[in-house]
Amino acid sequence: MNMANWLDKKEYPFRSNFIDVDGFKIHYVDEGKGEPVLMMHGTPEWSFGYRHLIKGLSSQYRCIAPDLLGMGLSDKPQLADFSCKAHAERLEKFITKLGLKNVNIIANDFGGSIAMHYAIKYPVNVDKICLFNTWMWSLKEDKHYAKPAKIMRSWLGKLLYQRFNFPVNILMPQAFGDKSKLPKHIHAHYKHVLPTANERIATYTFALQLMDAGDWWNGLWAQMDKIKTKPFLFFWGMKDTLVPPKELSKWLNVLPSARVIKLEQAGHFAQEEEPEKMVEELRKFLG
């Protein structure tokens, strides 16, 4: 991928690293030294979205931000398993290959359950967990998700996702609480990393996973007892139209002692909208 024309190295000044997982090249950022902080993105994102947090935390921590297979600067194969379960299993192998110990997790959107799979399976190797605007239970019976998901499963949905890059061009700007926080030159970094229909299979699969991954999410949710004593921090963009604040209450019903920071003016992409506040609170939480 020729990034010379579109990747702003001032915004994203990190060295690119690659590691083989199941025969695919997974791209990741690895900056700083100290306790590892693993940052897991959702859709239609990549490690670029965590650039502010990496810059703000890497003076004290080792910040590691992988790109999911089929997204960011990782391989984008035509034939691969892009389900949440498969992403989670690859992340498990990624952590093992890097030999990460006492991992701190920061994750959002689909990345929440993908990272939590590791925390639930290996609780002794996870220290603290920060989540924002994410979920880990079946969405099948919730009309807020089921109605648009039905459209996405149709020929029209596939066309919108793969031909017109619908999640980046339409959903992403709509999901910002303050659209001025997504200027054109930043938005371009999400557009250019998914330039063709053949490179948008993973993002379209996530649209299908809204209904298809319910049993897997419920299986993880049923095991929350394994990690509910861990320190948890939640950020929540209160103007999120994709994963609304009602989901936060479900987390807090199980994790009543979690620290919560409500970002009243932010939408779904809190790390783009309120990075300074997030860095400030994460330093307290991780420290």
Side-chain angles (χ1 to χ4, degrees):
M1 180 185 294
N2 181 9
M3 299 176 287
N5 296 327
W6 60 266
L7 185 62
D8 184 342
K9 295 301 289 184
K10 290 183 179 179
E11 286 286 343
Y12 190 79
F14 316 120
R15 183 172 69 91
S16 286
N17 303 278
F18 293 90
I19 192 169
D20 182 280
V21 178
D22 292 344
F24 301 113
K25 281 197 307 181
I26 299 298
H27 172 265
Y28 66 101
V29 172
D30 191 342
E31 297 283 321
K33 295 181 180 179
E35 292 183 12
V37 178
L38 179 74
M39 303 178 184
M40 192 72 261
H41 69 82
T43 187
E45 304 167 83
W46 58 294
S47 53
F48 179 81
Y50 279 115
R51 67 196 180 282
H52 297 303
L53 272 60
I54 295 169
K55 292 174 186 177
L57 297 174
S58 58
S59 62
Q60 296 173 277
Y61 301 95
R62 181 184 174 188
C63 297
I64 301 151
D67 294 339
L68 292 171
L69 184 68
M71 304 178 76
L73 305 181
S74 291
D75 278 351
K76 299 182 179 70
Q78 299 295 290
L79 297 174
D81 188 343
F82 295 118
S83 67
C84 292
K85 180 177 183 291
H87 283 307
E89 290 170 350
R90 284 189 291 266
L91 179 63
E92 179 183 340
K93 295 173 184 176
F94 172 86
I95 294 171
T96 300
K97 283 199 166 193
L98 263 62
L100 302 181
K101 303 298 182 184
N102 300 319
V103 182
N104 297 284
I105 288 171
I106 303 175
N108 73 310
D109 190 73
F110 279 93
S113 59
I114 290 168
M116 288 287 281
H117 166 268
Y118 183 86
I120 289 168
K121 190 170 181 179
Y122 302 99
V124 296
N125 199 38
V126 172
D127 190 2
K128 298 177 181 179
I129 300 170
C130 170
L131 302 174
F132 60 102
N133 297 72
T134 186
W135 68 97
M136 200 169 71
W137 44 81
S138 176
L139 304 174
K140 290 180 182 179
E141 306 303 321
D142 190 325
K143 292 181 181 179
H144 174 77
Y145 304 97
K147 189 174 181 180
K150 184 177 181 180
I151 298 173
M152 290 304 107
R153 300 186 80 85
S154 69
W155 67 268
L156 176 60
K158 187 173 184 179
L159 179 71
L160 289 172
Y161 262 72
Q162 290 194 245
R163 185 64 59 184
F164 296 104
N165 206 6
F166 178 74
V168 173
N169 291 325
I170 305 300
L171 287 184
M172 194 171 203
Q174 287 182 350
F176 270 66
D178 179 355
K179 291 176 177 55
S180 70
K181 298 291 181 72
L182 184 64
K184 288 183 179 180
H185 76 283
I186 295 300
H187 198 189
H189 286 76
Y190 294 97
K191 294 179 179 181
H192 290 311
V193 82
L194 297 170
T196 68
N198 287 338
E199 292 171 286
R200 299 167 187 161
I201 297 172
T203 54
Y204 179 58
T205 302
F206 272 132
L208 303 180
Q209 286 285 286
L210 284 172
M211 298 293 103
D212 291 348
D215 291 343
W216 184 73
W217 287 326
N218 282 344
L220 293 177
W221 191 242
Q223 300 178 71
M224 279 295 291
D225 281 351
K226 293 181 180 179
I227 56 169
K228 68 179 183 181
T229 59
K230 299 284 183 185
F232 272 86
L233 169 65
F234 284 91
F235 293 102
W236 211 274
M238 300 304 286
K239 290 188 175 181
D240 188 355
T241 56
L242 298 181
V243 185
K246 67 177 184 176
E247 309 298 357
L248 175 60
S249 63
K250 296 179 183 177
W251 286 109
L252 298 182
N253 284 338
V254 174
L255 302 165
S257 62
R259 176 161 170 70
V260 179
I261 307 294
K262 294 181 180 180
L263 304 172
E264 298 293 346
Q265 302 306 313
H268 186 67
F269 300 97
Q271 76 278 42
E272 287 279 11
E273 299 184 69
E274 296 283 355
E276 296 87 358
K277 180 66 173 176
M278 291 181 71
V279 168
E280 176 189 352
E281 295 295 339
L282 280 164
R283 283 176 177 165
K284 297 176 188 176
F285 177 66
L286 297 171

